[in-house]
Amino acid sequence: MSIQPIGIFDSGVGGVSIWKEIHACLQQENTLYLADSKHAPYGNKSADDIVALSVKNTEYLLSQGCKLIVVACNTATTNAISHLRSNYDIPFIGIEPAIKPAALQTKTKSIGILATKGTLSSALFHQTAEAFTKDISVIEIVGEGLVPLIEAGAMDSEETIELLTTYMKPMLAANIDYLVLGCSHYPFLIPSLKKILPPHVTIIDSGAAVARQTKSILEQYNMLNHTTSAPTLQFFSNGDTRTLTQLLGNIQAEVFIEPLDF
Ligand code: DGL
């Protein structure tokens, strides 16, 4: 069991930002990443469609023998993780916008959240937001159009910078000092966001917390891989693999990028 891979899926390349944190934290673990780029973006789909896509991805990762699944997508987590947990008998780790740390640390009592429509309209997001942001103003902005640009590898194109500038305007007007990236694609926009935001705005995402949680669950279930051989790091995509290759460019490991037809 312990040598079986950790399965990770996202609507495309975004979850690679989470995979990097997991690989850094759990270097011995074999990993299998599934980029469902063919169906990206998930963010504007109905909750039922997001559940169906998450089930399809889970079935694929299980058919490959994964011991645990990381849903490296805020949209899929907030809409589908309870369904997955009740229907499959393996641990699932999800990712949600890091509202709590932002709400606890803000000095201006104003935080911004950039996420997909699917995440911001989910019941799970509302529960978390209500629990932690009672005396805080929360500026929620849907990052419409950003995921397709990231999927195309256009992290710092003129169009991307223009969209980000538009989305940051109401947040800056509300004097935010924390920007929560509530979509696993968005960490790849941090260099572009830093060009737009003043230095006192801290950008946070949930990648490192997801990696720590994955480690802790593997420990708890006695599933850590203690072998010393180099891990197998596999990446599967059912879309264009160019951006995936670009994002994995400097990874010091053997990486298989295979097109997948479903
Ligand atoms: N990367 C995803 C997320 O974290 C999904 C974005 C999308 O497909 O719209 O929400």
Side-chain angles (χ1 to χ4, degrees):
M1 183 68 161
S2 64
I3 62 165
Q4 288 174 248
I6 295 174
I8 302 165
F9 77 81
D10 179 40
S11 58
V13 300
V16 171
S17 66
I18 313 299
W19 175 85
K20 286 186 176 176
E21 300 282 357
I22 291 172
H23 181 56
C25 175
L26 291 158
Q27 297 198 0
Q28 274 318 109
E29 293 295 328
N30 299 314
T31 60
L32 199 162
Y33 182 95
L34 174 59
D36 188 17
S37 294
K38 187 166 152 187
H39 299 104
Y42 283 10
N44 292 335
K45 296 191 194 307
S46 70
D48 285 350
D49 285 350
I50 296 165
V51 170
L53 290 166
S54 301
V55 165
K56 167 188 74 70
N57 298 336
T58 297
E59 296 280 348
Y60 177 73
L61 292 172
L62 288 178
S63 76
Q64 301 300 305
C66 292
K67 60 184 175 185
L68 168 150
I69 292 179
V70 178
V71 182
C73 173
N74 294 260
T75 312
T77 298
T78 49
N79 286 278
I81 203 157
S82 55
H83 178 94
L84 298 176
R85 285 186 175 136
S86 0
N87 284 278
Y88 297 95
D89 197 19
I90 57 156
F92 285 88
I93 312 289
I95 177 168
E96 285 183 68
I99 307 175
K100 187 179 169 185
L104 290 175
Q105 292 170 79
T106 176
K107 291 196 170 53
T108 60
K109 299 288 171 213
S110 178
I111 65 173
I113 302 183
L114 188 65
T116 68
K117 187 172 152 215
T119 294
L120 293 176
S121 60
S122 69
L124 191 55
F125 173 79
H126 282 288
Q127 277 165 23
T128 315
E130 267 168 38
F132 296 108
T133 59
K134 290 206 166 53
D135 309 317
I136 287 166
S137 118
V138 182
I139 318 300
E140 297 173 17
I141 302 281
V142 173
E144 190 62 48
L146 293 173
V147 167
L149 286 166
I150 297 163
E151 286 290 310
M155 323 311 177
D156 58 358
S157 67
E158 217 171 287
E159 192 181 348
T160 307
I161 300 278
E162 257 171 46
L163 277 182
L164 288 175
T165 306
T166 307
Y167 298 153
M168 290 306 108
K169 221 173 241 165
M171 299 206 190
L172 292 173
N175 195 25
I176 64 157
D177 58 354
Y178 275 83
L179 171 65
V180 177
L181 301 182
C183 169
S184 57
H185 280 72
Y186 298 167
F188 295 117
L189 298 176
I190 289 174
S192 296
L193 280 165
K194 284 193 167 159
K195 288 182 197 157
I196 298 165
L197 292 170
H200 73 272
V201 177
T202 305
I203 304 171
I204 56 173
D205 65 78
S206 318
V210 169
R212 285 195 300 273
Q213 175 69 357
T214 305
K215 187 175 179 191
S216 138
I217 295 293
L218 288 176
E219 279 166 354
Q220 192 181 318
Y221 285 82
N222 207 12
M223 280 184 185
L224 279 172
N225 184 358
H226 294 293
T227 58
T228 50
S229 47
T232 304
L233 310 175
Q234 292 181 294
F235 291 82
F236 294 86
S237 169
N238 57 7
D240 188 336
T241 55
R242 273 175 297 187
T243 305
L244 196 49
T245 314
Q246 175 193 329
L247 295 177
L248 293 170
N250 56 1
I251 301 296
Q252 299 296 309
E254 199 178 8
V255 172
F256 306 92
I257 297 182
E258 300 184 12
L260 193 74
D261 190 23
F262 71 39

